[in-house]
Amino acid sequence: MGGVGKKPVRKRGSRLDELQRDALVYAAVVDSALDAVIVVDEEGRVVTMNASAEATFGYSKSEAIGRSIGALIVPDDHKQAHEAGMARYRATGVPHVLGRRVEMDARCRDGRIIPVELAITEVKLPDRRYFTANLRDLSAAKAAAAEIQRQREALHQSEKLAAIGSLLAGVAHELNNPLSVVLGQATMLQEELEGSAIAESAGKRARQIQSAAERCARVVRSFMAIARQHKAEKRAVAVAPLLEGAVELLAYGLRSNGIAVYRDYESAMPEVFVDPDQLQQIVVNLIVNANQALQETDGKRAIEIRTFVGHDGLARIVVDDSGPGIPEAIQAQIFDPFFTTKPLGVGTGIGLSISRGLAESQDGRLALAASSLGGAAFELTLPLASGSATEVERGGKPADVPSDRAAAALRAIVIDDEPEIAALIGEALSRNGYRSDLAGSGAEAQALIAAAAGGYDAVICDLRMPDIDGPALYRWIEANHAALVERIVFVTGDALGPAAGRFLAECRRPFLEKPFTPADVARLVADFAPRKH
């Protein structure tokens, strides 16, 4: 019991051992920290630093100790503020950033400027003070945040493009109806004027109206071809008409920017085996890129489109411009998704990436080529169609008009909620031997078909109608008048819509895409002429 209450006697040597052990543990913790730790004295000279600081800034501990931290890692444009802050603290003792987390730039040994998060703590000793700077490299975090923002903007852009596609479907539908009327009536007017006293002057005006309407129709069709989403359907295609369609689509922008377009098409150029819509989209993307590049050019603004067959037996399409060209430093990146040098709002950086992907899906390739105009040239390589002809696709030959004897027996029903369109189709059919009944709705068509006991040789039906639309009427005919199913032809200005596209693919019935001409109507219904028994 005599020893109870007595404190153990601690030897001086053991206390020193404990202090040395604590110092070693502290040094090990600091040295293994993931963040950079730099200790400086009151003059701002480095006392020590850990391994992370060496890795982050590129200085070894031995070459950093004793040097001013401002000379080591403070960027030149921040040095004056850093020196002023140190002097103010030494004079007043009032801290400015002590105990706070701040973001700033720091300089590495190789001159790189990196973003860091800085926290400074004061260490007071009996004879002097030290400052411990904890610095976290934010480069990876900033890059990740920038990537997230880029992906968010890309998603936003994708949503905008999807919305524009839906809007385009509606606009195309609204434009195609009046364009069909203008185009059809202009054609019929020319036919009626033949042999009349005013045929020369009035016929010339009618041809001008028809030409303008056909141009509008081609522009609408080109937009729809680009916006249409479908599985690639490759076939033998003449190159020149597709290239001209792309140029015509962008003609206003090129003309308003003072850009001349030159063509150098190889004569007797063979057809290529591609999806025509996707080929036109590639060419449109390349011309749009050239147009944007040329807006930064003060001198001659020109685009040249060349076609030829290479020594390897593959077709070549080159889109060349006289713009500033592409710096060699970024040539390897231009096909990367979302890479762009254009200002915000001007480009998304996906055009060339999409174009290369489309080219590869056509068993072709897209690459930079030598420019003959001093700017940037892109060469599209495509496979030739085996045994291809040089004749331009025209969509088939005009239909033969039925003889008068056969014509007297033919009967059609035209269903369209646009009276002008229904009347136009009916008149076109009458000129090709059909007697047509017109219906302004699906319900009216059902009544007429039921009254005629299905006795129609052709059923021409609009796809989109407010009450009973084309697909619903098709299913009703299929259930009640099955013999008529093979006589149905659809008319649509909305073939790029996903629902319309799925239905047309499922029913496998022919369709006429607005805007159309009377000859298009005659051609499509030609197969129905012998139906009457």
Side-chain angles (χ1 to χ4, degrees), residues 82-115:
H82 169 74
E83 296 297 339
M86 291 293 293
R88 184 172 56 252
Y89 179 73
R90 285 193 295 266
T92 65
V94 178
H96 179 59
V97 295
L98 289 181
R100 294 169 48 202
R101 288 177 177 267
V102 296
E103 288 189 15
M104 59 176 290
D105 290 336
R107 187 184 63 190
C108 300
R109 182 177 183 176
D110 59 8
R112 289 181 300 111
I113 304 297
I114 61 172

Side-chain angles (χ1 to χ4, degrees), residues 160-178 220-221 223-229 464 492-501 513-515:
K160 281 172 59 179
L161 291 175
I164 289 172
S166 299
L167 178 63
L168 180 59
V171 170
H173 185 266
E174 292 304 313
L175 285 177
N176 282 330
N177 283 333
V220 171
R221 283 173 179 157
F223 271 125
M224 294 180 72
I226 291 172
R228 185 179 288 117
Q229 296 181 0
R464 289 179 60 182
T492 179
D494 185 36
L496 74 83
E513 197 165 357
K514 301 174 185 176

Side-chain angles (χ1 to χ4, degrees), residues 231-370:
K231 186 178 179 181
E233 298 176 358
K234 299 179 184 179
R235 62 178 185 271
V237 178
V239 174
L242 284 176
L243 299 181
E244 289 304 297
V247 172
E248 185 173 44
L249 185 64
L250 303 169
Y252 174 76
L254 296 169
R255 187 170 59 251
S256 63
N257 288 327
I259 299 171
V261 180
Y262 300 99
R263 286 88 161 169
D264 183 10
Y265 300 158
E266 182 174 293
S267 59
M269 180 74 181
E271 293 177 328
V272 293
F273 188 69
V274 296
D275 181 299
D277 291 347
Q278 293 187 1
L279 172 56
Q280 190 170 63
Q281 182 174 353
I282 296 171
V283 176
V284 165
N285 286 347
L286 295 178
I287 297 175
V288 166
N289 270 6
N291 186 1
Q292 292 174 343
L294 287 167
Q295 293 178 36
E296 304 174 8
T297 302
D298 295 328
K300 179 183 178 181
R301 297 182 176 184
I303 295 174
E304 183 180 60
I305 305 174
R306 303 188 292 271
T307 68
F308 59 95
V309 177
H311 297 299
D312 54 4
L314 297 175
R316 301 287 202 283
I317 300 172
V318 179
V319 178
D320 195 357
D321 67 63
S322 61
I326 300 173
E328 187 176 353
I330 65 170
Q331 287 182 4
Q333 300 173 267
I334 59 173
F335 292 104
D336 293 344
F338 305 109
F339 176 81
T340 181
T341 59
K342 299 168 187 172
L344 182 64
V346 175
T348 61
I350 62 175
L352 286 176
S353 174
I354 289 176
S355 297
R356 170 171 273 188
L358 291 174
E360 291 173 351
S361 72
Q362 308 300 312
D363 298 321
R365 62 180 181 272
L366 179 64
L368 274 173

Side-chain angles (χ1 to χ4, degrees), residues 150-222:
R150 184 190 63 77
Q151 292 184 3
R152 184 181 293 115
E153 291 172 356
L155 179 60
H156 177 61
Q157 184 68 17
S158 177
E159 291 171 348
K160 281 172 59 179
L161 291 175
I164 289 172
S166 299
L167 178 63
L168 180 59
V171 170
H173 185 266
E174 292 304 313
L175 285 177
N176 282 330
N177 283 333
L179 275 176
S180 295
V181 174
V182 173
L183 195 55
Q185 295 295 349
T187 304
M188 291 179 178
L189 180 59
Q190 287 184 69
E191 294 175 2
E192 291 180 358
L193 288 171
E194 289 180 3
S196 68
I198 60 171
E200 185 175 349
S201 61
K204 181 180 179 181
R205 293 182 186 275
R207 286 191 296 273
Q208 289 175 338
I209 294 171
Q210 182 183 12
S211 177
E214 287 175 345
R215 181 181 177 189
C216 292
R218 288 193 300 271
V219 170
V220 171
R221 283 173 179 157
S222 295

